[in-house]
Structure formats: structure tokens, C-alpha cells
């Protein structure tokens, strides 16, 4: 069976792998990803993207995300195979999931009274926190808990792929099986030039397009649309919530067609280098059905940003706060007394939050090697990443790579930290909330936190010597909150969204 998705030529994948290894940045972002991003942003100036129509509906966001996802895969030197936009299970896995977690088909969904709030969570999503009480969706579940105090609420997890599934959940969802059959041939209803693939190929030379790529994108999008339309028709919510709007374009479109409000829950910084939440100059005045009605953000910084970068009046930011900041204290065990004593024995404690680095960036290992021995380094892996190997400078006694650092919740860890370092992680915002200054060493971090760098809350470095010098000057400040994360009455925000 032919693999779906754009082909990435092997010579290009090898080039980017060699480049990333040579610069030692692993998950960093040199000029190459910026150049790839520029291709995406230039395309609306070269081609009238709002003339990409399906039954008269503008569907440019569907192609915009498919192209960006593939460009990211090219830069990261990986295949573009695992695609959450393609929900499909073999029959044997449908049987497995029915037995494992009581999964049901859409036709088996109960059609009770209309719901006030319906939450969609991702299978094996990055927001899953594993605590003593079970798996907790750190972005979604605090809002889900608030929703249950305001009205009726349910959670759905659409099982899009086969694999292990941890069903020990603090708030178990309804597990939904995707249909075994899907409609195809949507390309017949798509209004694009006959040479559209050639136009894409000329604009995105790093991607090797196939003749059926366009129909593949459209077919899978509308397969998802039909799934979500059926779910929403049966459950009749007033408002739907999800994390990562780019993976839920079909859900937003189905909700719009049914008169249901849609809300994207912030899961990371929404400013900066990525094109998902900015550079939408081509957006028509009426917006796009594939984008949510509301972007529920953590604080004033992203609210102000989205107020200017999403021009369509249909799409509005609202400040919903980040209730996980407090909720995590109840779910995660604090650091052990022995570990706290270890932290207290050092002059300065530096937390490093890694991203999807395959290797430790050279600037980090060199900074550790050049820093005083009374600095303690805590290296924390990405939730979906791997712990680095204790080699070279990372094998020093003042470097800690351990499950305790990886798993402790940040609300317990950050109050004990003096400085935070990262390529460009969202932990910058959480550190700022606790008065911890951050250092970023990558263009992603510089672009993500440009405003905070100008304000002196975040510092950018380009060499290990510069990093060591700045580290010596930084001290944590009193924890007085921040503009990035506001304390908000989540229940009140939910009441404002729907008329109960």
C-alpha cells in the first residue's frame, strides 16, 4: 500500500541531518528553517490562495498547515508518515480498543440532552501528565473541571492510530473509533488550476510533490470533517474545546457549519517564529471556518499579540488564564528532601529545558564546561523526547539528569531555581511567572520572546562565553506574577462563552 503524504527526497533529508549534526543544535533552528518558512509566507503573494475553493468555501488553511508540517519534517530530517490528520484503524485494533477501554463507534454515542461544553483531547498527546492519580491532561482538564461547575461537560478522545494506550485517567474520556470506510473523490469539488501541483512544486522546491498529493490532503480533511460533524450532531454541544487548532481544522469547520462555538486552548507561546498564530495577512474579512472562533490564551501578552496578527473579525482572543499552574501542585509530588538539600548546597541552580534535540547543543555543553563548579545544572527532557547521555561536560558531578527532574511539576521546581535556559521552550513563560529569568540560545527563542528580551526578562546568547558571563549576573526576582500568565476566573470565562 502506498504511503500517504508528500515525499521528502532522501538527499534533502540527509543534507538537513548533516547540517544539524554539524552545528550541534539538534532541535535548534538555523537559517534553513527560517528560509523554509519564508517559502510558505511568500506563497500567498505568488498565488491567490483564497481562490482555493471547495464548494465555494475558502480552504487555504488546510493546505497552509499541510505545507508547513511537511517543511518542518524536511528541516528535522524525518519522514512525513505519522499523520494525525489521517484517522484510520485496522479492524483488529478496533477490536483491541473496544476490549481495552470500551471504545465505541460514532453510531453508538448516546444522544442525550444537548451539552454545554465538549472537549476533544489527543491520543497520546503531549499535554498528558502522568501523576499518582493517573493521566491528567494538563491543558484541557483544568478547564474541563471548571466547565463541570458551570454546566454539562464531556470529553472525547478520537482514536486515530494503533498502539499502546494508557487508560488510567483522572478524567476518562469517551473513546471514539474512527469509521472503517471513508469517502474519497473530494478533489472533484475542489476549484484549483489544473496545474496546481506544478505551481506548488515551483514554490516549494524542497518538497517532492506527487500527482495525488492535493487530492490526498482534501480527502483526509473532509474525512475528518465528516467524523466531527457526526459527533457534534449527536452530542449537540454549545461550545467545543481543543488544543492545537492546526490539528483540528476540520473540527472548527464542522462546528462553524452547525453554529457551535469553537475554542483553541493555548498550549505554548503564540508569538514568535512559527507561522501558526501570525502572518495571516491573506485572511479575508470574514475569516476562515477552519480556524476557531476563540483563542483562549494564558495572559495579556498573547492576547495583545493575537489581537493584531489574526485579522479576521471571526477569530478573537480571550484571556482564560493557565489554571494548570495551581492545579499541578495537587497532582504532582514535591521534590524529595534529599534533592532539596542538594539544590541548597550550590550557589546557583540552573534549569535547562530541552526540546526535540537529538543531541545536546554545543553551546550548552560548552557553557556547562566553562561555568563554576558551584553551579548546579538540572537537565529536563521534553515530554516527548529522550534524556541526554551523561557524556563530556554532562558527566560532571554538578549536572543532574534524572527522572526526578523530568517528572516533578514545574510549580514545585521553579521556586527552587535561579535561572532557566532553553532553545525556545514555553517554560520561559512559566519561569517568568515565578520570577525566574531565562536565557535562550536559539533563533526560535529570540523570535518567540523578542518583547521579553527587550524588557530584560529574557536574555539571548550566541556563544558559551557570553552565556557564562550573563549567568554570573542573573538573580531570581520576587514572584509577582506576569503578563504572560494571568490569574483568571476560568468558570467566569466559560459562562461568557455560552448562554446557559
Amino acid at each position: 500500500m502506498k504511503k500517504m503524504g508528500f515525499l521528502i527526497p532522501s538527499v534533502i533529508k540527509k543534507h538537513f541531518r548533516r547540517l544539524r549534526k554539524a552545528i550541534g543544535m539538534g532541535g535548534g533552528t538555523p537559517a534553513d528553517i527560517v528560509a523554509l518558512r519564508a517559502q510558505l509566507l511568500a506563497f500567498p503573494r505568488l498565488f491567490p490562495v483564497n481562490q482555493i475553493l471547495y464548494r465555494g468555501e475558502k480552504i487555504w488553511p488546510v493546505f497552509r498547515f499541510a505545507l508547513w508540517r511537511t517543511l518542518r519534517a524536511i528541516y528535522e530530517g524525518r519522514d512525513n508518515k505519522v499523520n494525525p490528520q489521517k484517522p484510520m484503524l485496522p479492524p483488529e485494533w478496533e477490536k483491541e480498543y473496544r476490549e481495552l477501554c470500551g471504545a465505541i463507534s460514532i453510531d453508538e454515542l448516546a444522544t442525550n440532552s444537548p451539552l454545554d461544553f465538549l472537549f476533544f483531547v489527543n491520543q497520546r498527546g503531549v499535554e498528558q501528565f502522568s501523576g499518582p492519580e493517573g493521566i491528567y491532561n494538563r491543558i484541557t482538564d483544568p478547564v474541563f473541571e471548571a466547565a463541570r461547575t458551570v454546566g454539562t461537560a464531556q470529553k472525547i478522545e478520537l482514536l486515530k492510530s494503533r498502539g499502546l494506550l494508557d487508560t488510567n485517567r483522572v478524567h476518562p474520556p469517551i473513546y471514539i473509533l474512527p469509521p472503517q470506510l471513508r469517502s474519497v473523490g473530494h478533489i472533484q469539488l475542489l476549484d484549483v488550476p489544473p496545474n496546481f501541483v506544478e505551481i506548488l512544486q515551483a514554490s516549494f522546491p524542497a518538497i517532492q510533490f506527487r500527482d495525488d498529493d492535493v487530492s490526498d490532503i482534501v480527502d483526509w480533511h473532509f474525512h475528518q470533517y465528516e467524523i466531527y460533524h457526526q459527533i457534534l450532531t449527536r452530542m449537540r454541544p454549545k461550545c467545543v474545546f481543543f488544543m492545537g487548532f492546526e490539528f483540528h481544522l476540520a473540527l472548527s469547520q464542522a462546528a462553524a457549519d452547525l453554529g457551535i462555538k469553537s475554542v483553541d486552548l493555548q498550549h505554548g507561546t503564540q508569538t514568535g517564529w512559527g507561522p501558526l498564530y501570525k502572518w495571516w495577512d491573506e485572511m479575508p474579512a470574514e475569516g476562515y471556518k477552519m480556524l476557531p472562533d476563540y483563542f483562549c490564551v494564558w495572559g495579556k501578552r498573547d492576547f495583545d499579540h493575537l489581537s493584531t496578527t489574526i485579522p479576521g473579525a471571526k477569530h478573537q482572543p480571550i484571556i482564560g488564564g493557565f489554571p494548570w499552574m495551581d492545579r499541578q501542585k495537587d497532582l504532582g509530588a514535591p521534590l524529595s528532601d534529599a534533592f532539596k538539600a542538594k539544590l541548597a548546597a550550590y550557589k546557583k541552580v540552573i534549569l535547562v529545558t530541552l526540546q526535540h534535540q537529538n543531541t545536546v547543543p554545543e553551546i550548552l555543553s560548552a557553557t556547562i564546561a566553562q561555568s563554576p563548579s558551584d553551579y548546579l545544572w538540572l537537565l529536563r527532557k521534553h515530554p516527548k523526547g529522550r534524556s541526554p547521555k551523561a557524556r563530556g561536560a554532562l558527566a560532571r558531578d554538578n549536572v543532574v539528569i534524572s527522572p526526578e527532574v523530568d517528572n516533578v511539576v514545574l510549580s514545585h521546581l521553579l521556586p527552587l531555581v535561579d535561572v532557566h535556559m532553553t532553545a525556545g521552550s514555553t517554560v520561559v513563560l512559566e519561569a517568568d511567572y515565578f520570577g525566574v529569568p531565562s536565557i535562550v540560545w536559539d533563533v526560535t527563542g529570540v523570535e518567540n520572546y523578542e518583547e521579553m528580551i527587550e524588557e530584560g526578562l529574557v536574555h539571548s546568547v550566541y556563544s558559551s562565553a557570553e552565556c557564562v558571563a550573563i549567568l554570573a549576573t542573573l538573580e531570581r526576582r520576587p514572584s509577582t506574577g506576569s503578563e504572560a500568565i494571568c490569574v483568571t476566573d476560568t468558570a467566569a470565562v466559560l459562562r461568557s462563552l455560552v448562554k446557559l
Side-chain angles (χ1 to χ4, degrees), residues 61-82:
V62 176
F63 286 92
R64 192 181 194 264
F65 177 57
L67 290 164
W68 176 239
R69 182 178 178 276
T70 306
L71 292 171
R72 286 291 304 272
I74 288 172
Y75 166 68
E76 293 169 5
R78 59 179 172 80
D79 290 320
N80 193 30
K81 297 175 188 174
V82 180

Side-chain angles (χ1 to χ4, degrees), residues 300-311 315-317:
K300 186 176 182 297
R301 285 192 187 278
D302 283 302
F303 177 88
D304 291 344
H305 166 75
L306 292 179
S307 295
T308 59
T309 60
I310 306 289
H315 317 292
Q316 298 294 324

